């Protein structure tokens, strides 16, 4: 019985194992089947990110790309800004180099002090120690305005050197002297000069001789004087005509045509004043000023009155910078010469330049300098003094202005013979003064 139970138990065990195994197999089969169904139904799986999450990931990627793009744009903008800044800095450095070069040139001439003056707006300087205080010498130039005369502006760009040039007005009445004038300029090698041709004859003369010239647009008020006027009448026109040159920002060395050039005058200017002019004085006292004592015996103890005197500036040769006082000077002189009574332009020029403010009159606030009378020589100095002095005869003037004598052309030619061609007795035949 016991054996039978063991066998029976064994059979039950085997039957139980077989049943359990079939259940596992069935479960595996069902699992596989469900897996296949789920795999077909949910290809991305149960735990795949939701569409919003996927979009969020894509958006994040797009943002990263956009961020890189923005960073690139910002870098480009920064580089452009840096380039603009460096370009501006480069231009500023170039300007400083030009200014320093010009300053060095002046220092080499012993005149650098003229460029050491600066106008600093908004600053109130303190007075320095005794003996060190210096006022401003050089006023700032005006802002150029090319709209005043575009045609002249283009011409001056070609002719001027460092915004400077010699300017002479001429009509056919002075043609012979003009020929000596520009021939001497060419001989010296001065490139920056210009003739303001007041009639067609002078324009044609200049054109045929390669002389830079400028013929104004028709102006009835000026042309009637320019074409037929006397020497003094034409001289009065220059103050009106010069204004445009200054408004365009150019410094002008105004020259009459009865002048012989022997050196380049631009190498001997100071450029520290509104006006630099040659003097009509004939020695150090008359040219540069002196204390003149006026004696009036009727005053008894106070019979001696001290006066300050200087001989006038020559309005036929002066250097004028484009500053507000300079333009005001031209306006004042031109206005006075345009109304009666008739006046001599040189007298008016000096009165406006020197007369101080007083009751009923506001004087001109302009800086002025008298040029060296032996370098910028008038004909009185030459014929009365220099030609008779062995030492002075060896000096080479910058210019000789035949302003004191009426036989201008003959004396101009003699000056050329003496200083240029070396003819030692070329000046001897002429009297000190005139024959009348």
């Amino acid at each position: 019985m016991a054996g039978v139970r063991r066998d029976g138990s064994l059979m039950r065990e085997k039957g139980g194992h077989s049943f359990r195994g079939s259940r596992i197999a069935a479960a595996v089969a069902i699992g596989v089947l469900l897996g296949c169904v789920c795999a077909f139904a949910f290809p991305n799986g149960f735990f795949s990110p939701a569409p919003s999450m996927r979009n969020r990931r894509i958006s994040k990627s797009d943002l990263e790309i956009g961020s890189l793009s923005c960073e690139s744009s910002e870098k480009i903008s920064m580089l452009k800004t840096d380039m603009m800044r460096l370009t501006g800095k480069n231009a500023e450095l170039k300007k400083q180099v030009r200014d320093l070069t010009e300053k060095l040139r002046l220092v080499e001439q012993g005149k650098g002090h003229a460029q050491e003056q600066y106008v600093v707006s908004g600053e109130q300087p303190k007075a320095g120690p005794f003996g060190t205080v210096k006022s401003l010498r050089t006023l700032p130039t005006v802002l150029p305005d090319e709209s005043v005369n575009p045609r002249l502006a283009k011409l001056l760009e070609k002719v001027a050197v460092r915004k400077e040039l010699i300017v002479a007005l001429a009509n056919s009445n002075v043609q012979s002297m003009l020929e000596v004038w520009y021939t001497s300029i060419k001989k010296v090698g001065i490139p920056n000069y210009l003739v303001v041709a007041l009639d067609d004859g002078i324009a044609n003369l200049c054109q045929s001789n390669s002389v830079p010239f400028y013929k104004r647009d028709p102006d009835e008020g000026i042309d009637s004087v320019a074409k037929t006027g006397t020497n003094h009448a034409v001289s009065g026109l220059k103050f009106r005509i010069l204004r445009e040159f200054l408004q365009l920002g150019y410094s002008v060395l105004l020259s009459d045509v009865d002048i012989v050039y022997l050196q380049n005058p631009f190498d001997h200017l100071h450029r520290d004043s509104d006006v630099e002019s040659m003097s009509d004085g004939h020695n150090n006292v008359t040219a540069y000023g002196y204390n003149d004592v006026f004696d009036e015996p009727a005053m008894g103890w106070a019979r001696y009155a001290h006066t300050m005197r200087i001989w006038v500036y020559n309005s036929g040769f002066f250097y004028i910078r484009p500053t507000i006082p300079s333009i005001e000077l031209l306006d004042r002189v031109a206005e006075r010469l345009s109304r009666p009574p008739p006046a001599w332009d040189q007298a008016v020029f000096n009165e406006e330049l020197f007369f101080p403010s007083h009751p009923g009159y506001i004087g001109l606030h302009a800086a002025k300098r008298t040029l060296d009378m032996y370098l910028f020589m008038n004909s009185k100095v030459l014929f009365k003094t220099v030609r008779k002095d062995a030492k002075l005869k060896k000096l080479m003037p910058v210019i000789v202005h035949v302003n004191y004598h009426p036989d201008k052309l003959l004396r101009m030619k003699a000056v050329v013979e003496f200083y240029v061609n070396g003819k030692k007795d070329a000046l001897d035949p002429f009297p000190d003064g005139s024959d009348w």
Side-chain angles (χ1 to χ4, degrees):
M1 287 298 290
V4 174
R5 283 196 299 272
R6 283 197 300 271
D7 291 342
S9 298
L10 183 60
M11 287 179 68
R12 281 197 298 273
E13 266 181 50
K14 287 181 180 180
H17 283 299
S18 175
F19 178 72
R20 195 177 303 118
S22 62
R23 280 191 299 176
I24 291 171
V28 169
I30 292 169
V32 170
L33 181 62
L34 287 173
C36 292
V37 172
C38 289
F40 179 78
F42 303 99
N44 294 320
F46 288 109
F47 303 103
S48 64
S52 60
M53 291 292 292
R54 286 199 302 272
N55 291 339
R56 206 171 295 138
R57 287 179 183 173
I58 293 170
S59 298
K60 183 179 180 182
S61 176
D62 289 343
L63 284 172
E64 289 175 353
I65 294 170
S67 176
L68 289 173
S69 176
C70 286
E71 288 179 10
S72 298
S73 299
E74 289 177 2
K75 287 180 178 178
I76 290 171
S77 298
M78 289 174 64
L79 288 172
K80 286 182 177 178
T81 303
D82 289 341
M83 285 180 66
M84 291 176 65
R85 181 175 57 80
L86 291 173
T87 301
K89 186 69 175 177
N90 188 42
E92 182 181 346
L93 289 172
K94 285 182 177 179
K95 182 180 183 300
Q96 290 178 4
V97 169
R98 289 196 301 269
D99 292 343
L100 289 173
T101 301
E102 178 65 12
K103 186 175 180 180
L104 178 61
R105 185 178 71 82
L106 291 170
V107 169
E108 288 173 350
Q109 297 174 15
K111 303 164 186 174
H113 65 279
Q115 295 298 318
E116 293 174 1
Q117 312 296 328
Y118 297 95
V119 177
V120 183
S121 60
E123 293 186 8
Q124 290 181 291
K126 293 182 179 179
F130 178 82
T132 65
V133 178
K134 301 292 182 184
S135 61
L136 291 175
R137 277 4 180 224
T138 309
L139 292 174
T141 56
V142 298
L143 186 67
D145 182 5
E146 292 189 2
S147 65
V148 170
N149 191 331
R151 185 166 66 89
L152 179 59
K154 289 181 181 179
L155 176 60
L156 295 182
E157 285 181 5
K158 299 176 183 178
V159 175
V161 175
R162 290 192 293 272
K163 305 285 281 188
E164 298 176 322
L165 74 161
I166 300 169
V167 175
L169 280 68
N171 61 18
S172 295
N173 293 337
V174 296
Q175 178 173 327
S176 298
M177 287 190 291
L178 179 64
E179 290 174 341
V180 178
W181 181 86
Y182 67 65
T183 300
S184 69
I185 287 178
K186 289 183 177 182
K187 181 73 174 178
V188 174
I190 304 169
N192 48 330
Y193 69 101
L194 182 72
V195 174
V196 177
L198 299 177
D199 58 38
D200 293 334
I202 293 299
N204 294 333
L205 174 71
C206 291
Q207 191 168 22
S208 61
N209 288 277
S210 300
V211 173
F213 73 96
Y214 166 67
K215 196 166 187 305
R216 292 172 47 84
D217 294 331
D219 185 324
E220 185 177 349
I222 291 179
D223 292 345
S224 58
V225 177
K227 293 178 181 179
T228 60
T230 63
N231 213 17
H232 283 313
V234 171
S235 294
L237 293 176
K238 62 194 172 195
F239 299 99
R240 291 177 59 183
I241 294 174
L242 280 183
R243 193 185 206 278
E244 291 184 347
F245 288 78
L246 268 58
Q247 283 183 278
L248 294 171
Y250 289 85
S251 296
V252 174
L253 185 57
L254 190 280
S255 172
D256 281 352
V257 296
D258 56 346
I259 293 176
V260 176
Y261 286 78
L262 301 167
Q263 296 188 61
N264 191 329
F266 294 107
D267 295 335
H268 300 274
L269 296 173
H270 293 251
R271 301 173 179 83
D272 62 347
S273 305
D274 299 295
V275 177
E276 296 181 54
S277 178
M278 70 174 296
S279 172
D280 271 1
H282 59 92
N283 53 31
N284 287 344
V285 171
T286 56
Y288 308 136
Y290 63 103
N291 181 3
D292 184 32
V293 180
F294 177 76
D295 183 9
E296 189 176 6
M299 288 297 295
W301 176 83
R303 65 182 290 179
Y304 300 111
H306 291 259
T307 68
M308 300 305 299
R309 296 190 64 183
I310 185 174
W311 285 32
V312 295
Y313 282 177
N314 192 289
S315 63
F317 187 92
F318 60 87
Y319 176 80
I320 185 164
R321 296 175 61 246
T323 64
I324 292 298
S326 296
I327 295 173
E328 184 181 358
L329 171 64
L330 298 181
D331 288 352
R332 286 182 176 216
V333 176
E335 193 276 329
R336 281 187 58 185
L337 293 175
S338 67
R339 57 181 167 84
W344 182 26
D345 69 281
Q346 181 159 291
V348 175
F349 175 72
N350 279 272
E351 288 170 3
E352 292 298 337
L353 195 55
F354 285 96
F355 280 0
S357 297
H358 56 262
Y361 176 80
I362 302 299
L364 181 72
H365 297 279
K368 44 201 170 289
R369 170 183 281 274
T370 306
L371 294 169
D372 188 315
M373 69 171 184
Y374 289 116
L375 292 179
F376 299 89
M377 192 183 297
N378 63 56
S379 57
K380 182 175 182 177
V381 172
L382 175 61
F383 287 98
K384 184 181 178 182
T385 305
V386 171
R387 68 170 175 168
K388 301 174 184 178
D389 188 295
K391 291 184 179 178
L392 292 177
K393 284 175 70 173
K394 295 178 181 179
L395 296 176
M396 177 61 74
V398 175
I399 61 121
V400 173
H401 188 179
V402 187
N403 61 317
Y404 268 100
H405 300 89
D407 50 343
K408 296 180 181 297
L409 183 59
L410 290 175
R411 292 191 188 238
M412 288 177 72
K413 290 180 177 179
V415 169
V416 173
E417 288 295 323
F418 181 78
Y419 284 109
V420 179
N421 299 329
K423 189 177 179 182
K424 296 182 180 179
D425 61 349
L427 303 176
D428 295 346
F430 299 92
D432 289 357
S434 63
D435 293 331
W436 52 274

